Amino acid sequence: MAGRRAAIKAIDWAGFAERVPPNQRAMFNALKTRSDALSARLAALPEKPPTIDWAHYKATVAKAGMVDEFQKKFSALKVPEPVDTQTAKIDAQEREAAKSSAEYVQASKARIAQYEQQLQKLRSMIPFEQMTFEDLHEAFPETRLDKEKYPYWPHRPIADL
Amino acid sequence: MLSRLILRAAPAALRSLPPPVTVGVLHATRPLHTTQRCLGPLPPLPEKGGEVRYGLIPEEFFQFLYPKTGVTGPYMLGTGLLLYFLSKEIYVINHETVAAVCILSVIIYGVKKYGSNVAAFADKLNEEKVAKALAVKNEAIKDLETAIEQEKKEQWRAEGCSFLFDAKRNNVAMLLESSYRERLLMVYNEVKKRLDYQVALQNLKRQKEQDHMIQWVEKNVVQSITPQQQKESIAKCILDLKALSKSAQAAV
């Protein structure tokens, strides 16, 4: 019989809380309260209901077959377990989320590589005291004056001065 | 000659051309265009120009004549040349000579007195420019480093998404489990209620039967007591009472 007790993993709420970015904190709090409510409800219910004292009833109830009939039917009764419809959906969601987070991590790594490159360039620059204007324009291309677009001094729109 | 003087005086006094030339080490002999075209970065230009004496004559001339004529050689040469120019009237002394002397003395006095101040001021302007550029560069470096850190932190955060799904699955499991337990409990309660009802019903019936029977027996007994029997029983009770009272009086 599968799925009687789907393992309830212990969740490290503190660690989880650390990783939540500030803009999703409200959702996290809602999830936590719901989770806590469910676990409280679960803890309040006993695992097995107390057993019925058949001997006592057999001795007390006068009608002969009634207690026996009840006992037979009771032990034959199988309470149907609630069907688990959501776990499959959750697994699908998890796969999607894993994929998108992997993509995000990739993009993030690419960005980090870019930043590293720029950092390298900045760190290995010659000091400003030894630069000529040509060197400056090579290091910072935005300082280069466009002499084709603005052929007359100061080679840039007056508003930019 | 005047222009040459100014050209010589300018680098020694005023250095205000941006970008500034710095880190002077090379002194007298600078190799210029001695090698093939160099494509790499050139060494930085020297900070000070070649040394000159009296603002006019480079030191190399004195060093050149030193082995042959000693220390006074160039001075002798200079004096001789000067006397030659004057005596042969190659240089004619006229009004402009006097004007030149006055103007030059004023200029030289001005440069000697205020030259260093002006140089310091120009240097300060340069320093500010360089410092601003340096500040921009440092800030850019710092920004990039913080950006890298942020990215790493976000990556770490994204790893935590498994927590979320564990929590969801846990919720689902808890919900299922609790509803199952509720159902069991409900079954038990219902059966127990029914059994208890039967027991209670039975007890009630028996009690009612008992009460009814007692009542019926009492009624019948009361009915069966005839008036004759009643009188006899009353008389007997009175006799018993008298006897009891006698014994009680005796006891007291």
Side-chain angles (χ1 to χ4, degrees):
Chain A
M1 185 87 133
R4 163 67 227 269
R5 182 69 65 84
I8 296 187
K9 270 204 288 201
I11 296 184
D12 177 15
W13 287 104
F16 191 9
E18 271 179 10
R19 293 193 196 226
V20 168
N23 59 350
Q24 293 176 0
R25 200 149 271 283
M27 301 198 308
F28 168 73
N29 284 340
L31 179 70
K32 187 159 197 302
T33 42
R34 207 167 50 228
S35 220
D36 289 342
L38 281 176
S39 58
R41 191 167 130 202
L42 186 67
L45 292 169
E47 184 172 332
K48 284 197 188 313
T51 43
I52 301 183
D53 192 358
W54 297 111
H56 166 77
Y57 283 115
K58 252 195 264 226
T60 354
V61 175
K63 250 195 238 172
M66 186 185 254
V67 175
D68 290 331
E69 204 181 303
F70 269 37
Q71 190 177 10
K72 205 166 50 161
K73 286 217 179 112
F74 183 73
S75 38
L77 180 69
K78 278 203 181 335
V79 179
E81 284 184 7
V83 178
D84 182 5
T85 51
Q86 301 296 325
T87 310
K89 283 196 217 157
I90 291 180
D91 283 339
Q93 270 184 0
E94 183 173 17
R95 274 195 292 276
E96 261 185 45
K99 207 158 48 128
S100 72
S101 83
E103 279 176 17
Y104 177 78
V105 164
Q106 283 290 78
S108 173
K109 287 208 173 107
R111 277 196 290 271
I112 285 186
Q114 252 185 5
Y115 294 153
E116 288 277 344
Q117 209 183 28
Q118 280 194 328
L119 207 58
Q120 196 56 34
K121 194 180 74 148
L122 280 179
R123 284 214 176 109
S124 63
M125 225 163 60
I126 55 180
F128 286 105
E129 292 92 1
Q130 294 180 16
M131 266 199 221
T132 64
F133 263 127
E134 269 301 317
D135 292 337
L136 179 69
H137 293 331
E138 266 180 34
F140 298 105
E142 57 266 15
T143 48
R144 207 185 290 259
L145 293 173
D146 195 351
K147 299 227 168 119
E148 278 100 42
K149 195 159 172 225
Y150 305 103
Y152 301 109
W153 185 85
H155 302 295
R156 46 182 161 158
I158 304 282
D160 280 356
L161 272 176
Chain B
M1 195 169 139
L2 282 170
S3 58
R4 205 180 340 138
L5 188 67
I6 288 171
L7 275 173
R8 286 281 182 245
L14 302 166
R15 278 170 287 133
S16 61
L17 302 164
V21 291
T22 54
V23 191
V25 171
L26 298 187
H27 193 48
T29 50
R30 260 191 347 247
L32 297 171
H33 301 289
T34 45
T35 51
Q36 294 293 342
R37 197 180 81 150
C38 171
L39 291 168
L42 296 169
L45 292 174
E47 183 147 341
K48 294 192 179 308
E51 296 231 336
V52 275
R53 275 201 215 191
Y54 305 108
L56 279 178
I57 304 129
E59 190 68 32
E60 285 88 351
F61 185 65
F62 290 85
Q63 297 303 326
F64 174 64
L65 289 181
Y66 179 77
K68 286 288 193 277
T69 55
V71 180
T72 50
Y75 294 103
M76 289 290 106
L77 179 62
T79 313
L81 274 176
L82 189 63
L83 287 176
Y84 170 64
F85 284 142
L86 283 172
S87 68
K88 290 286 187 178
E89 297 250 323
I90 294 177
Y91 177 68
V92 177
I93 295 197
N94 50 16
H95 309 288
E96 286 177 9
T97 311
V98 177
V101 166
C102 297
I103 292 172
L104 281 176
S105 55
V106 168
I107 288 177
I108 289 175
Y109 170 76
V111 165
K112 282 234 183 298
K113 188 129 196 271
Y114 301 111
S116 52
N117 286 349
V118 174
F121 171 72
D123 279 344
K124 196 156 67 76
L125 288 178
N126 254 331
E127 281 297 322
E128 279 169 14
K129 276 193 206 167
V130 167
K132 243 196 301 189
L134 205 62
V136 164
K137 175 177 145 185
N138 283 347
E139 207 177 301
I141 286 183
K142 212 155 35 104
D143 282 343
L144 282 173
E145 280 176 355
T146 44
I148 288 181
E149 267 189 43
Q150 289 279 12
E151 290 287 330
K152 290 211 168 98
K153 191 145 189 255
E154 288 298 317
Q155 277 183 10
W156 174 75
R157 281 222 174 109
E159 283 171 19
C161 77
S162 62
F163 277 125
L164 173 67
F165 293 106
D166 284 343
K168 278 194 180 177
R169 272 194 287 258
N170 266 14
N171 278 3
V172 166
M174 281 197 286
L175 203 55
L176 293 175
E177 178 69 19
S178 56
S179 57
Y180 179 69
R181 284 188 195 175
E182 269 175 10
R183 287 181 190 177
L184 284 177
L185 205 60
M186 196 169 67
V187 163
Y188 163 77
N189 280 344
E190 288 296 310
V191 170
K192 193 150 180 1
K193 264 196 302 194
R194 280 181 178 55
L195 284 172
D196 283 343
Y197 169 74
Q198 288 297 325
V199 167
L201 187 69
Q202 220 167 284
N203 285 348
L204 180 69
K205 198 157 152 216
R206 175 161 300 192
Q207 198 175 358
K208 282 275 177 256
E209 280 175 358
Q210 271 182 341
D211 284 343
H212 183 259
M213 185 161 292
I214 288 171
Q215 263 187 339
W216 185 81
V217 164
E218 273 183 6
K219 201 171 69 174
N220 274 2
V221 164
V222 165
Q223 267 181 351
S224 69
I225 297 178
T226 59
Q228 174 70 16
Q229 274 181 326
Q230 206 168 357
K231 269 193 208 147
E232 278 182 13
S233 65
I234 287 177
K236 185 137 192 327
C237 286
I238 292 173
L239 280 172
D240 281 337
L241 273 171
K242 276 191 186 149
L244 271 171
S245 71
K246 275 197 195 124
S247 62
Q249 270 181 349
V252 167

